[in-house]
Amino acid sequence: HRQIPFVEDYKVVFHGPFNVEIIIYEKSIVGYVSYMSSYMYFDKDGIVVESSDEKTPGVPMVTGFVFDHVILHERLPVEDETVFKSVLNITQLVNKYNLTVDRIYFGSDDTLTLYFGGVRAALGTFESLDEKIMRLQDMLPSLTEKKGTLHMENYTEETKNISFEPDGGTLEEIQG
């Protein structure tokens, strides 16, 4: 098989001398990074599959890792390549719970923050990530008109209230 950008795999099936079926499995884009005034979209393996001047709706920006160059059709040059599995896991979870994340931020201290409009969900480590995002699904509708940080760093299944810190305000407790 020849490698084709955006194509994960393909199959050619001959049904006769004049009838051919081509089945194409498209690569799914999991995120993008901003680099030199362009949006560089990458797949689950960190391979840059597209460079564009326009944002694609529904694809989150990924920030927090450092690189000095980006080459189309090659892997993003990051220090820890397991970050791509984390991005895939996060995008699958937010899709599972019908959430649209604008940006995913990986902190240098292995923490995670998701951005939903004006709300920053500080999730802390990747521990109990599925439960945290499931809980986010319930809380985000009540925060649509607000701007601030939702503190879920110490969240557990037993947590009753979660702190929300409005930009320039004082902490509020949110029940979920």
Side-chain angles (χ1 to χ4, degrees), residues 18-100:
F18 304 107
N19 192 358
V20 176
E21 178 183 17
I22 300 173
I23 303 166
I24 296 176
Y25 301 95
E26 187 178 20
K27 284 186 179 182
S28 61
I29 295 173
V30 298
Y32 73 90
V33 294
S34 181
Y35 183 73
M36 294 182 68
S37 304
S38 291
Y39 304 112
M40 309 299 277
Y41 293 90
F42 60 91
D43 68 7
K44 64 181 176 49
D45 299 316
I47 306 294
V48 179
V49 295
E50 179 184 5
S51 173
S52 177
D53 294 334
E54 297 179 19
K55 287 184 186 177
T56 301
V59 179
M61 178 181 207
V62 180
T63 59
F65 38 81
V66 180
F67 45 85
D68 57 359
H69 68 280
V70 176
I71 300 172
L72 197 58
H73 309 301
E74 289 190 17
R75 186 180 293 247
L76 282 170
V78 296
E79 224 175 85
D80 181 10
E81 293 186 359
T82 61
V83 73
F84 301 122
K85 287 182 182 173
S86 299
V87 172
L88 177 62
N89 185 29
I90 293 161
T91 55
Q92 287 175 335
L93 283 172
V94 295
N95 287 336
K96 174 182 173 181
Y97 294 109
N98 296 314
L99 298 173
T100 303

Side-chain angles (χ1 to χ4, degrees), residues 119-122 136 139 143 148-152 162-164 174:
V119 175
R120 295 174 299 281
L136 265 173
M139 292 185 301
L143 299 172
T149 304
L150 188 62
H151 291 281
M152 298 183 74
I162 295 173
S163 297
F164 179 75
I174 297 177

Side-chain angles (χ1 to χ4, degrees), residues 99-150:
L99 298 173
T100 303
V101 64
D102 300 320
R103 184 162 61 119
I104 301 169
Y105 172 73
F106 291 94
S108 58
D109 54 351
D110 290 330
T111 58
L112 173 67
T113 303
L114 302 181
Y115 290 74
F116 302 89
V119 175
R120 295 174 299 281
L123 302 179
T125 64
F126 288 82
E127 192 174 318
S128 305
L129 190 58
D130 196 335
E131 291 83 8
K132 290 175 184 178
I133 293 177
M134 182 173 68
R135 185 80 183 268
L136 265 173
Q137 178 191 28
D138 298 332
M139 292 185 301
L140 282 175
S142 67
L143 299 172
T144 54
E145 300 298 319
K146 296 186 178 189
K147 292 184 179 187
T149 304
L150 188 62

